[in-house]
Amino acid sequence: MILAIDIGGTSIKLGLFADFETESLIAKESFPVSGGFESDLEVIASFCTKHAGSVDKITETIIAFPGVVDSAYNVIFVSNIKGWNGRNLKSQFSKSFAKSSFHLIHDVEAAALSDLDLVNLREFAFVIWGTGVGASIVKVVGGKYKIFRSELGFHKIRKEVLHGEKIEPGYLEYFTGGGAIEKRFSKSAKDLNESEWADVLDKLSDGLSNLVAMHFSEKLVFGGGVILNQLDKLPILEQKVNEKVIDSFTGKIKLSIAKHGADAGLYGCLYYLKLRKADKIWD
């Protein structure tokens, strides 16, 4: 069985699959981010025992991770699960899942893979708009998929911004990420008024139009809690992006929602393993 773990800004999603096909999903659950490594690992192991009968039934474990990890799988930095900082993920998970091989992929890259058409090769940009903002560019190189991660959220679009008493660089994420929206407006994205939404969408479209200009992508696929809970904002954002893109070097930019929605990370983990097995992805 395959265990997929998708770590988000506010929750950790778990998916258990019988094989590499999406239809083989046995169970999925999510639980709030606790920040404590041992407690999170216990919940993950309990999920496997509940739905697989034993952790020994897990043959593949893959994590879609939102932080910085070195080549030895040591966590250098992750913001939302502080207790995971400094941990060696491979050694820790190998103790709890002794009969499972271990894999790691960046969360934005995993989400991007969830939207691949595994029959017809294509290229597109995948944007996560949730607690933070991130992006990956999926291209075909030598007949294999290659993922280019873009730190879109840390693309500077304005001068410094004041968050509380702290002055932060004018990064896209500090203006448009779900966490930053709550700091800026003292309310969640769903409660923004029309004027506030206009400000957020205008700034996000600045970053997206630059992403398109740099990577010549005519298709932007979206996942993440902010946009999935405000689908009516997608056509407005599409219009704003197209107003800012130079027509001479690209056609009309199309924005769409990830076909697996909030579960994009889980299915992306599965697709990653499937593509690796078929030697269709560049690691």
Side-chain angles (χ1 to χ4, degrees):
M1 295 183 184
I2 300 166
L3 171 64
I5 305 169
D6 178 28
I7 300 174
T10 58
S11 66
I12 296 178
K13 296 183 176 68
L14 306 174
L16 188 64
F17 297 87
D19 54 43
F20 295 105
E21 302 302 323
T22 57
E23 297 81 6
S24 72
L25 179 68
I26 296 170
K28 64 177 181 178
E29 291 182 9
S30 67
F31 62 95
V33 167
S34 71
F37 183 80
E38 283 78 11
S39 58
D40 289 340
L41 194 56
E42 285 180 9
V43 173
I44 294 170
S46 296
F47 167 80
C48 294
T49 300
K50 176 182 177 182
H51 297 288
S54 168
V55 293
D56 289 341
K57 297 286 185 66
I58 308 302
T59 58
E60 307 272 356
T61 300
I62 179 167
I63 303 176
F65 196 72
V68 180
V69 179
D70 67 17
S71 59
Y73 300 104
N74 294 299
V75 179
I76 305 302
F77 173 77
V78 60
S79 61
N80 59 312
I81 46 176
K82 300 293 187 182
W84 291 50
N85 280 309
R87 303 284 185 163
N88 184 281
L89 297 181
K90 186 172 184 177
S91 64
Q92 294 280 357
F93 272 84
S94 294
K95 291 177 183 177
S96 295
F97 299 89
K99 296 186 177 181
S100 172
S101 59
F102 179 82
H103 310 273
L104 191 72
I105 184 173
H106 195 275
D107 64 329
V108 180
E109 295 179 5
L113 286 177
S114 75
D115 223 71
L116 287 182
D117 181 334
L118 295 179
V119 177
N120 300 310
L121 298 180
R122 56 195 175 97
E123 303 179 8
F124 61 90
F126 193 101
V127 179
I128 289 287
W129 187 15
T131 303
V133 178
S136 286
I137 312 301
V138 182
K139 294 182 179 291
V140 178
V141 180
K144 297 182 182 181
Y145 289 105
K146 178 71 175 178
I147 309 172
F148 301 87
R149 192 166 81 241
S150 166
E151 293 295 348
L152 180 64
F154 294 98
H155 166 58
K156 192 170 183 178
I157 61 166
R158 296 289 191 280
K159 293 183 178 179
E160 288 72 18
V161 57
L162 182 65
H163 272 178
E165 298 180 353
K166 185 178 180 181
I167 296 178
E168 302 279 10
Y171 295 147
L172 181 65
E173 185 168 302
Y174 287 146
F175 288 106
T176 62
I181 286 174
E182 292 192 11
K183 290 182 180 179
R184 288 182 64 205
F185 301 106
S186 298
K187 52 186 170 182
S188 63
K190 66 181 178 63
D191 297 319
L192 296 184
N193 60 38
E194 186 174 337
S195 174
E196 292 163 341
W197 265 117
D199 176 80
V200 170
L201 294 175
D202 182 61
K203 289 181 170 62
L204 184 60
S205 64
D206 282 348
L208 294 177
S209 61
N210 288 335
L211 180 69
V212 169
M214 289 185 288
H215 293 283
F216 301 99
S217 177
E218 297 181 6
K219 184 175 180 60
L220 303 181
V221 181
F222 279 77
V226 172
I227 190 61
L228 292 178
N229 290 319
Q230 277 85 210
L231 295 177
D232 60 308
K233 301 299 184 294
L234 194 69
I236 303 173
L237 184 60
E238 180 178 276
Q239 180 179 346
K240 285 181 174 292
V241 171
N242 277 286
E243 289 173 353
K244 296 177 180 180
V245 171
I246 301 174
D247 292 335
S248 60
F249 65 76
T250 187
K252 181 175 174 59
I253 310 304
K254 299 290 186 180
L255 274 60
S256 63
I257 296 297
K259 62 184 177 184
H260 291 292
D263 295 328
L266 293 180
Y267 285 98
C269 284
L270 187 71
Y271 279 21
Y272 172 74
L273 293 179
K274 182 173 182 176
L275 289 170
R276 280 197 68 186
K277 185 178 180 181
D279 193 27
K280 286 292 185 180
I281 193 166
W282 294 98
D283 284 325

